[in-house]
Amino acid sequence: AQTVTQSQPEMSVQEAETVTLSCTYDTSESDYYLFWYKQPPSRQMILVIRQEAYKQQNATENRFSVNFQKAAKSFSLKISDSQLGDAAMYFCAQFTGTASKLTFGTGTRLQVTL
Amino acid sequence: EAGVAQSPRYKIIEKRQSVAFWCNPISGHATLYWYQQILGQGPKLLIQFQNNGVVDDSQLPKDRFSAERLKGVDSTLKIQPAKLEDSAVYLCASSLDNQGRSGNTIYFGEGSWLTVV
């Protein structure tokens, strides 16, 4: 079974600062993909960043980057220069070939303060 | 490029009534998913279609939920009869992959909010 764990129910960061959201996952497969999705109050899931397991290089998208530690099965999201618009629920998700579906963690609510 | 379209956005019904949600995936996307997201939880997969065939419906409560994807494009999710615990956001998503391989990014619609009273 595929499992994704987000141990931080809530995080807070000041505007312009950096914050890291944690995620661990569990799979026995070698072919899998990891994602971070952002969910604002509208409840639409918006893709933030994606990482292929076979790539050693950490993915980066503007102010968003990941720290992918394959051996530790860890996939954290770093948000630099935090903005008020970053406030949302963030979900870590895993996609494997066998399951052929996204498995989500329980989410981390990020607050951004002035 | 148009995104995943869902309707209705909001629905309030009484328990034991029925409701149907509609989804139109991104053009050309072979795989379509329906997820249920209860408040405070992560989304849970209800059913996955590959074109017009069901790939996974292991977590679909088949005594009350049904879904179809005729012609491999639009999909409808129906709940009958609804229970209080069905109150949730129903998210439709789609991905390009048409061979069951992993890796294609999954794009989500805005969701359909259901409140059962």
Side-chain angles (χ1 to χ4, degrees), chain A residues 46-100:
Chain A
I46 302 167
L47 178 66
V48 174
I49 199 164
R50 153 198 170 117
Q51 174 81 43
E52 291 86 347
Y54 62 84
K55 289 187 177 179
Q56 292 186 334
Q57 187 172 6
N58 289 324
T60 299
E61 287 287 342
N62 301 315
R63 299 183 294 106
F64 299 87
S65 62
V66 298
N67 184 5
F68 176 43
Q69 299 291 326
K70 193 170 184 178
K73 296 184 178 177
S74 169
F75 183 61
S76 60
L77 174 70
K78 185 171 82 170
I79 306 174
S80 304
D81 186 26
S82 296
Q83 300 175 1
L84 294 177
D86 295 333
M89 283 290 288
Y90 286 82
F91 288 94
C92 178
Q94 174 185 269
F95 190 105
T96 62
T98 300
S100 193

Side-chain angles (χ1 to χ4, degrees), chain A residues 31 37 39 43 50 100 102, chain B residues 37 48 102-103 105-106 113:
Chain A
D31 178 24
Y37 281 89
Q39 189 178 49
R43 302 298 284 273
R50 153 198 170 117
S100 193
L102 270 178
Chain B
Q37 187 180 20
Q48 177 187 348
S102 63
T105 298
I106 296 175
W113 298 56

Side-chain angles (χ1 to χ4, degrees), chain A residues 5-12 19-24 36-40 75 77 79 86-92 104-111, chain B residues 37 40-42:
Chain A
T5 303
Q6 294 179 252
S7 59
Q8 306 155 316
E10 288 192 21
M11 293 285 286
S12 182
V19 65
T20 299
L21 308 183
S22 301
C23 172
T24 58
W36 278 98
Y37 281 89
K38 171 185 177 181
Q39 189 178 49
F75 183 61
L77 174 70
I79 306 174
D86 295 333
M89 283 290 288
Y90 286 82
F91 288 94
C92 178
F104 287 89
T106 52
T108 296
R109 181 175 301 281
L110 178 66
Q111 293 183 322
Chain B
Q37 187 180 20
Q41 299 180 17

Side-chain angles (χ1 to χ4, degrees), chain B:
Chain B
E1 180 182 83
V4 178
Q6 290 187 246
S7 68
R9 287 295 317 280
Y10 306 94
K11 192 75 176 178
I12 301 174
I13 61 173
E14 295 183 348
K15 59 184 178 183
R16 291 187 290 275
Q17 286 188 325
S18 63
V19 63
F21 300 114
W22 172 84
C23 173
N24 181 238
I26 293 173
S27 178
H29 280 198
T31 306
L32 185 147
Y33 307 82
W34 282 102
Y35 281 84
Q36 179 193 57
Q37 187 180 20
I38 294 171
L39 187 65
Q41 299 180 17
K44 180 186 81 171
L45 179 71
L46 290 176
I47 189 167
Q48 177 187 348
F49 292 95
Q50 189 83 0
N51 296 308
N52 60 352
V54 175
V55 174
D56 182 355
D57 63 356
S58 57
Q59 297 199 77
L60 186 74
K62 298 181 183 65
D63 57 334
R64 298 183 300 106
F65 286 66
S66 65
E68 60 182 11
R69 191 184 183 196
L70 300 177
K71 301 180 182 179
V73 181
D74 294 5
S75 177
T76 302
L77 175 71
K78 296 179 182 177
I79 307 174
Q80 181 179 15
K83 292 186 175 181
L84 296 177
E85 58 261 38
D86 298 333
S87 295
V89 176
Y90 291 86
L91 296 164
C92 180
S94 71
S95 66
L96 181 62
D97 183 83
N98 59 6
Q99 296 184 32
R101 294 172 300 191
S102 63
N104 289 118
T105 298
I106 296 175
Y107 297 92
F108 286 80
E110 292 183 307
S112 292
W113 298 56
L114 173 66
T115 301
V116 182
V117 297

